[in-house]
Amino acid sequence: MTKWTVEQLVDAIIQHTEKEYNKSIEDATPEEVYYVISQIVSRTINKSWQQTEKMYHQHKPKQVYYLSMEFLIGGLLESNLLNCGMRDQCNQALTRLGFSPSDIYSHEHDPGLGNGGLGRLAACFLDSMASLAYPGHGLGIRYRYGMFEQRFINGYQTELPDYWLKNPYPWETKKSEEAVEIQFGGNVNMFKRRDGSLEFTYENTDNVLAVPYDVPVVGYKNKVVNTLRLWSAEPVNTVTQTKNDDYYRELENNHSIEQLSGFLYPDDSTEEGKKLRIKQQYFLVAASLKQILKHYKTTERKSLIHLPKKVVIQINDTHPSLAIPEFMRILMDEEGFGWEKAWDITTNVFAYTNHTILSEALEKWPIDMIQSIVPRLYMIIDEINERFCQGIWFDHPELRDKIPKLAVIADDQIHMANLAIVGSFSVNGVAKLHTDILKNQEMKDFYHLFPDRFNNKTNGITHRRWLLMANPKLADLITDTIGPKWIKHPRELTHLLRYVEDRPLLEKLGQIKQENKQKLANYIHKATGILVDDQSIFDVQIKRLHEYKRQLLNIFHVIYLYNELKDNPHLEIVPRTFIFGAKAAPSYYFAKEVIKLINTVASIVNHDPSIKGKIKVVFLENYNVSLAEKIIPAADLSEQISTASKEASGTGNMKMMMNGALTIGTLDGANIEIKNLVGDQNIFIFGLRSEQVYELYDSGAYSANDIYQNDERIAQILNQLRDGLVGHHDIEFKDIYYHLLGSNDPYFILKDFDCYVETQQLVDQAYRYNNKWLSKSLINIAHAGKFSSDRTIQEYATGIWNVKEIF
Ligand code: 26W
């Protein structure tokens, strides 16, 4: 990439502003400057993009395609600048021109193309693949409305459409010439050819055009630019008729076509929502496979038998698993392969990652829906199922009685996870514990059948975005201390361990945290009007709102502290600011109740002068990638308190640790691996362990009511929910009360409450010893290198994909 000097950048910005907006730089708005710089960076990137494509074309390396319904890429301007090696110059150029760099960068609207961890992981993986020079690309959907924008009205979550494409998105390039046509529905006709093989034709299908928009994925200072291709749905023909009935029918039809790439996860609790989601999944899969095969054919000119040597497709959870029958369809119906050969090719191309064991997230689609939306795929899935079940019957008589659980089709539904396991050569979990649970509990019989398929790939995060970019001062301090090698080799962060007793360094570390906290405190004040004490412990829980993640346990601790302070205003505690960020799925009633509860507690606590500001509660609206970048560098304490066994991995835990926060958490997901690295002294572990959770479910020995009867603190909190919180005599939280007692507290919030409170007291004590705390913080940073997604991607590359770096 061209090396830019500050002067050249200043000139380029001035000239572009004049050309684009016919304005002098003094009159340009920050938003205009944002666009100008994006264009300058885009041009720099484009050269390397073309060169990378050329290189792939010449060397024909094996390619990885990461199929995902979600990519939470976050803002790209600053990260592209960083990866192009232009960030420092750009910051200086902007400052010289009188702009604040962070103000300019904040004019980028996050593309909210994901819900949470799974989508952000996909984005971190793209960053690592490009930075390590692996030929790996993302394929997803360009939802016109991403994740909703969250606003609190009266403490309730309300959802507004997130129209992120209102202004042009400067990073995408529309590639109309590479659009492909996708067929839905219709009837399948079957003919016997002369040679006895079968031919399938379709009639009365609904056709949709999948139009790709490409976003560059820039490697860190290595001139590699890979591609994230996002598909958008358009009508095949634009409406040209005059305004008769057909015109209006066509218009309506086009509207429903555009809905295909309209929203991320339309509510699938309804029949219509389910259908739309299946259509979206098929849309992604069909368009992507067409492109992958086209590319293979133009570069390789070899039989598709050799395809698995050149192509590997990673499916991100079950969402894209219709790719398996779709690939079979293409190989058989379009390429003329028989079943066995087609199956052999298919099962050597696909690899599946599981991200959750929660049964509600394991997709099952009603047979009749699949039959009507993708009739030919249904026939193929049916045959996959037949052959698979027969195979068990004959080759594994010991599993005969398990067939109903293992089958791809059962109870009139298609079990997408079973389909994904049967059709892939690799099945991986995302943290050690999670993979063990898959092998020994949730997918035990599959593991028995296919022991070699199962493997673990503990998640990771890109340290470039989450440390170098989000926390530049800390990154500089690290570089000043151990040199810059850690940037390319994050495991080198362990060299920091030599400094755990180094007072001056710890002091600088403390100062940086303090500055980050002040910055966040200012943001909080601006965003919410709440004044927080930047000397207080910043206790942070940021993640999707879900019962198993137990935001409720966290707020129970706050209510408990508040009750204590009301009883004893002189109680000595280290002041704390409880910071929350979370979106609830629009149809998830209980999660929304928890949001309202946290907001209500916040307004009570923050306005009660009698507790003298010892605790404050802040719930920041609209949690997304760019908000995470503001919060994480300022976190002291990272809340990772899921019911053990439920959080597949977690990645927020890694981000906060890398920024020097200490974790309070259960032995769940990647917390266990964090604990094993940093040691018991440098993490706060509490609560039931995964085996105990399983035991309690199995034995039925748990009684939430007993705890309610015997623990006064819990009785007080629950009664407050039932009868109205202090000063709030409405009883709108009684559902939470009834749920916990009536459903016997399925996530063990009451069970873990006591040890959680006790462990929080240890946190309070530990925070008082500043130097010790800072040294724990440094130890966490020093061990965070393992959680760079570079390590994860290297493991995928050698352990699953069998791909090599391009140089
Ligand atoms: C059926 C639709 C659906 C879609 C998304 C169900 C569930 C989801 C979740 C948002 C999936 C998800 O984000 N899982 C998270 O994946 C992370 C990356 O592996 C893990 O770190 C988290 O533990 C896991 O909850």
Side-chain angles (χ1 to χ4, degrees), residues 98 177 185 231 312 360 553 621 624 695 717 790:
E177 70 285 5
W231 297 100
V312 54
E360 81 219 36
L553 178 59
E621 271 175 344
N624 60 13
E695 253 164 52
I717 295 167
D790 288 3

Side-chain angles (χ1 to χ4, degrees), residues 42-99:
S42 286
R43 280 192 202 165
T44 313
I45 291 171
N46 283 345
K47 286 185 203 145
S48 303
W49 205 356
Q50 284 161 19
Q51 275 160 14
T52 306
E53 275 178 4
K54 222 190 236 159
M55 193 152 64
Y56 290 159
H57 205 81
Q58 274 166 7
H59 299 284
K60 305 182 180 22
K62 185 174 182 183
Q63 306 263 347
V64 183
Y65 297 98
Y66 200 83
L67 245 65
S68 177
M69 293 283 282
E70 304 187 19
F71 285 94
L72 271 180
I73 52 180
L76 288 189
L77 177 53
E78 195 179 357
S79 76
N80 283 345
L81 281 166
L82 177 76
N83 287 6
C84 291
M86 293 168 68
R87 183 176 63 159
D88 293 345
Q89 296 93 305
C90 187
N91 285 349
Q92 286 177 43
L94 283 170
T95 315
R96 211 178 277 181
L97 291 167
F99 295 96

Side-chain angles (χ1 to χ4, degrees), residues 67 139 231 283-295 313 322-328 330 349-350:
L67 245 65
L139 289 158
W231 297 100
F283 175 72
L284 165 67
V285 153
S288 302
L289 290 185
K290 277 211 163 82
Q291 178 224 306
I292 293 169
L293 286 170
K294 201 155 73 185
H295 182 264
I313 302 176
L322 285 177
I324 291 162
E326 171 68 1
F327 200 56
M328 286 294 285
I330 298 173
V349 163
F350 289 99

